[in-house]
Amino acid sequence: MTGDARRGAPARPVPCGPPSFAEARGKRARVRAAGMDPDYWYAVAYEGELPRGRTLATRFWGHPIVVYRGTDGSLHALEDRCAHRQLRLSGGEVDGCHLTCTYHGWTYDGDGNVVHYAHDLFGRARPEVRVGSYPVTARHGLVWVFPGDPALASVRSVPGIPELEGSRPWARLDASYTWQAHHSMIIDNVSDFTHSYLHRRYRPFWDARLTRHEHVGDRVELSYETVVGGGRLSSRFVDRRRVDTTSIDLAFDYPYQRSDTGGSIKHWCFVLPMDRRTSRVFFLFYFDALRIPGTRWKVPRALLPAFMRAAGALVVKPLLREDGVAVEAEQLGYETHFAAPIVELNPAVGLFQDLTIRKWEEFLARDRARPRPSGIALADGRVVPPPGRKAGP
């Protein structure tokens, strides 16, 4: 029997789950509870997912957002709720460049203002009602939303990828997944090359040795000496006589991640933090050339799309699914053993986590200085329940 028990002191409550950011103390708990700064552009969908006249429901750190494309092709993003009875506007109907709630027919313009009521107003003047709206754009075949302060949308920009623009763009391969894992686990995964054992079948890299890691402003830069693309299938497409595949440079260029192998094999990773344990991830790989397997010849440009589809199906997407299984298992492990000590050997991981924590602290400080807290800060990564469902027990 402890001294507290003998004196009749109340027992300390046992935490029922991982702590919130405000409650967290150690680095591991803080980074796994941190959100991402909304004052950046975030990819939310491929353009092909949003044809004219359609809506798409998404979330940013628990806060619901609807993106829709008008019948004129214009893109719009609103808070995903009708101001009347709180139905999800993503279930509504697109008419021109407006969005109409399917219940009472309240119609919103692209700025979130109600511009039409499909019923009697009972002798009242038409009320001025609106919901939040967000800057939205399209680039690189992706739809991007700026969920933070709209005044900053023109200051920040979607990352430029000059290799994909112009008359002779590089060969491109896209992959996207929605993983049940915190965004920081995904950043750790895609930049920490000590997990080559996970990919022992495909061997996208192996024998990695960290040669550089440094924190530069809002960016973490790192390099590995490693063998890139040496798997049984992937090695057949890489021209090692022309491309140096013995090292790779990476960066967590907050909030995006990217890599460069020999100036010829590059990628970006765009993470959308949907809530505390859900992230959508967009991978964009691009290559200046590929070799026809078994020859010294480059793949003709006309055949590159077919080769990229084959490479994606046979190598890239299967190994990324391995990453998905791993980070989802890590999420479950953290939720079960969040109080257990952890041993992290790769010093670069600590830099990713320091940057993630600092950027979230900076956003919270800015938000506290505003007259009203943002919906994203209020949600704090908790999923806003659909109408008709209670939030928790």
Side-chain angles (χ1 to χ4, degrees):
M1 181 178 293
T2 66
D4 285 347
R6 285 195 300 270
R7 289 191 293 271
R12 293 180 180 178
V14 177
C16 59
S20 67
F21 189 77
E23 299 166 337
R25 294 297 174 262
K27 180 188 289 189
R28 181 197 188 199
R30 285 169 65 76
V31 74
R32 299 307 187 225
M36 294 189 94
D37 186 344
D39 289 331
Y40 288 86
W41 289 95
Y42 288 86
V44 299
Y46 291 111
E47 284 199 77
E49 295 179 73
L50 202 60
R52 297 184 182 212
R54 296 290 296 276
T55 67
L56 183 143
T58 188
R59 298 188 301 277
F60 184 89
W61 200 234
H63 187 70
I65 297 174
V66 55
V67 185
Y68 70 95
R69 190 185 294 274
T71 54
D72 61 352
S74 59
L75 286 168
H76 309 275
L78 304 176
E79 185 180 1
D80 194 5
R81 68 174 185 91
C82 178
H84 183 208
R85 300 284 178 86
Q86 317 306 316
L87 271 73
R88 293 287 173 93
L89 287 175
S90 52
E93 300 173 350
V94 177
D95 181 14
C97 57
H98 295 160
L99 181 58
T100 299
C101 177
T102 191
Y103 194 10
H104 291 82
W106 288 27
T107 298
Y108 296 80
D109 65 14
D111 294 324
N113 301 298
V114 177
V115 294
H116 176 70
Y117 298 87
H119 57 76
D120 181 30
L121 296 180
F122 305 98
R124 303 184 182 189
R126 194 179 80 176
E128 295 184 2
V129 177
R130 73 181 306 274
V131 296
S133 63
Y134 307 92
V136 59
T137 191
R139 193 175 184 186
H140 310 313
L142 294 163
V143 177
W144 302 77
V145 169
F146 196 91
D149 183 351
L152 298 175
S154 59
V155 178
R156 298 267 163 77
S157 59
V158 173
I161 310 178
E163 296 88 347
L164 298 181
E165 300 168 351
S167 60
R168 294 180 64 83
W170 288 18
R172 170 175 173 168
L173 192 158
D174 288 270
S176 176
Y177 303 88
T178 299
W179 289 335
Q180 300 303 306
H182 189 269
H183 59 84
S184 67
M185 296 179 182
I186 295 167
I187 295 299
D188 291 353
N189 168 271
V190 295
S191 299
D192 174 19
F193 276 24
T194 63
H195 75 278
S196 59
Y197 185 79
L198 174 69
H199 302 307
R200 56 196 179 276
R201 177 182 177 187
Y202 298 100
R203 303 188 79 183
F205 54 86
W206 76 91
D207 291 340
R209 186 173 69 87
L210 186 67
T211 57
R212 182 177 69 99
H213 61 288
E214 59 182 316
H215 198 156
V216 183
D218 289 347
R219 184 172 67 252
V220 174
E221 299 177 352
L222 62 157
S223 300
Y224 292 96
E225 286 183 357
T226 184
V227 180
V228 178
R232 186 174 58 183
L233 288 174
S234 58
S235 62
R236 298 175 181 270
F237 294 91
V238 178
D239 188 352
R240 298 187 188 279
R241 296 177 300 106
R242 190 179 59 83
V243 181
D244 179 7
T245 59
T246 62
S247 65
I248 184 171
D249 298 317
L250 302 102
F252 178 29
D253 203 349
Y254 190 94
Y256 318 115
Q257 189 266 356
R258 54 185 168 85
S259 74
D260 182 345
T261 301
S264 294
I265 304 171
K266 301 184 181 184
H267 102 283
W268 283 87
C269 174
F270 305 119
V271 180
L272 174 67
M274 300 183 74
D275 56 57
R276 291 182 181 183
R277 65 185 319 274
T278 310
S279 305
R280 185 166 184 190
V281 194
F282 298 87
F283 292 97
L284 200 166
F285 300 89
Y286 47 111
F287 309 78
D288 66 345
L290 294 173
R291 184 186 66 172
I292 297 176
T295 75
R296 295 184 177 183
W297 301 331
K298 293 181 181 180
V299 176
R301 293 186 64 83
L303 298 179
L304 277 174
F307 269 75
M308 297 302 287
R309 287 194 295 272
L314 295 173
V315 180
V316 178
K317 293 181 180 180
L319 76 87
L320 289 175
R321 284 193 287 270
E322 292 179 336
D323 287 312
V325 171
V327 295
E328 289 186 343
E330 182 180 2
Q331 178 70 38
L332 291 174
Y334 175 65
E335 291 171 352
T336 305
H337 306 290
F338 58 88
I342 188 170
V343 178
E344 180 55 65
L345 301 180
N346 188 340
V349 172
L351 297 186
F352 310 148
Q353 297 181 351
D354 289 339
L355 178 57
T356 296
I357 292 169
R358 175 173 66 81
K359 293 296 291 184
W360 186 239
E361 288 176 331
E362 290 174 356
F363 162 68
L364 293 178
R366 294 196 306 272
D367 197 66
R368 283 192 294 269
R370 296 180 179 129
R372 296 177 58 188
S374 71
I376 290 163
L378 289 174
D380 191 27
R382 295 166 297 195
V383 180
V384 177
R389 292 180 58 187
K390 296 181 179 179

